[in-house]
Amino acid sequence: MPRSQLGMLDQCCGASIIGPFDACCNNITAYDPARQQCCHGRVVDGTPPQHMCCGMQSYNIFGEHLCCGGVLQHAGPEVNSMGCCGSRLYNALTSTCCGYTQLIPRPNYNCTQMG
């Protein structure tokens, strides 16, 4: 359809025409931003601020998961005491992450002494 035939608020999304309340994911797929979001080029259910992208997935930030380096990790009910070290999940009450790669047990958590 020529641009002159589009409504003033319409826009193109790939081969489709979408209205003013729709959004376009990766310039290919139309979606409803009131119910969905675009996570790295993939349309998924859930919307911010309660749902965030982790890689190509959406997760509830108030649930039992953490996004560690783009990898969705199940932390369980102890999620508030868990942390990420790179893409790994760890218990922040018992360990410390040094340099985003190395886990060391507490209370000996002086990262500057690590070789």
Side-chain angles (χ1 to χ4, degrees), residues 50-108:
Q50 186 172 351
H51 290 86
M52 299 298 290
C53 291
C54 182
M56 295 177 72
Q57 301 177 50
S58 173
Y59 75 105
N60 184 334
I61 62 169
F62 300 110
E64 295 184 350
H65 291 84
L66 288 177
C67 184
C68 298
V71 177
L72 192 60
Q73 302 282 3
H74 184 261
E78 301 84 25
V79 67
N80 292 329
S81 63
M82 304 300 276
C84 295
C85 190
S87 60
R88 294 185 302 174
L89 187 67
Y90 75 98
N91 186 329
L93 299 176
T94 61
S95 300
T96 296
C97 177
C98 293
Y100 299 104
T101 58
Q102 190 169 14
L103 288 173
I104 56 173
R106 290 182 182 256
N108 306 323

Side-chain angles (χ1 to χ4, degrees), residues 12-74:
C12 292
C13 180
S16 301
I17 298 170
I18 61 175
F21 301 107
D22 294 322
C24 189
C25 182
N26 212 28
N27 211 20
I28 297 172
T29 308
Y31 68 97
D32 178 1
R35 298 181 308 103
Q36 300 167 309
Q37 62 182 317
C38 180
C39 292
H40 297 280
R42 182 174 172 215
V43 176
V44 295
D45 290 333
T47 58
Q50 186 172 351
H51 290 86
M52 299 298 290
C53 291
C54 182
M56 295 177 72
Q57 301 177 50
S58 173
Y59 75 105
N60 184 334
I61 62 169
F62 300 110
E64 295 184 350
H65 291 84
L66 288 177
C67 184
C68 298
V71 177
L72 192 60
Q73 302 282 3
H74 184 261

